Amino acid sequence: MSLRGRTNQLLYQAELLLEIPVGDDEHATARRMASEEGALALLELALNSALRELTEHAALPRHEWRELLLDDSRRLAELERLRELAGDEASWLALLLQRIDALHGEEGAARRQATSAVIASTQQATLADELRWCSQQFKQLLGQMRETSYEW
């Protein structure tokens, strides 16, 4: 499979996980949380795959997002663009990286639903909704970056 194909496959699989019905039985919350965290893990793999794909010409020894996006010693246009996005707190990439950090933490990234007795002061998007948005934005940017990379 090509690098491009693998990246596409991981994005598609993440989106599939987010569309699995969770049901309404006693395991519904656990199923929802598993789908969300599974999709998030696949999005992290897709990010690493995309980084490998977009920097293939640079023959980098490693393609882990933490190394490439947090270490600015490698001056590649693709990485600079992604670093800028990661630094913008309102961007999909900044949100995705925050959720990935949470995934690797003690609490995980998925949240339990608030009980009806708790009054929410703001309308908060679900993790699944956030991940759908991140995936959509990711695919849009990836298409643009692939086109630019192809031109070179």
Side-chain angles (χ1 to χ4, degrees), residues 28-100:
T29 298
R31 252 191 312 278
R32 177 190 52 77
M33 293 172 71
S35 291
E36 290 172 343
E37 290 201 347
L40 182 55
L42 286 169
L43 286 172
E44 181 179 18
L45 290 173
L47 179 59
N48 286 334
S49 181
L51 287 168
R52 178 180 302 273
E53 176 187 341
L54 295 170
T55 61
E56 184 177 25
H57 64 282
L60 301 175
R62 296 182 44 89
H63 297 88
E64 213 270 331
W65 70 265
R66 290 181 199 279
E67 290 180 24
L68 296 180
L69 298 182
L70 301 179
D71 173 15
D72 63 356
S73 65
R74 292 180 179 94
R75 297 285 185 204
L76 299 173
E78 297 86 351
L79 295 178
E80 293 295 327
R81 186 169 180 189
L82 290 170
R83 285 182 193 125
E84 186 177 308
L85 259 179
D88 177 2
E89 291 183 19
S91 77
W92 66 270
L93 185 54
L95 177 64
L96 181 63
L97 297 181
Q98 289 171 357
R99 298 301 179 250
I100 290 171

Side-chain angles (χ1 to χ4, degrees), residues 4 7-8 53-54 142-150:
R4 182 181 187 141
T7 304
N8 290 344
E53 176 187 341
L54 295 170
L142 188 56
Q144 294 168 2
M145 293 179 84
R146 283 174 173 163
E147 188 174 313
T148 303
S149 179
Y150 181 73

Side-chain angles (χ1 to χ4, degrees), residues 112-120:
R112 295 206 174 272
Q113 300 283 354
T115 63
S116 59
V118 177
I119 300 173

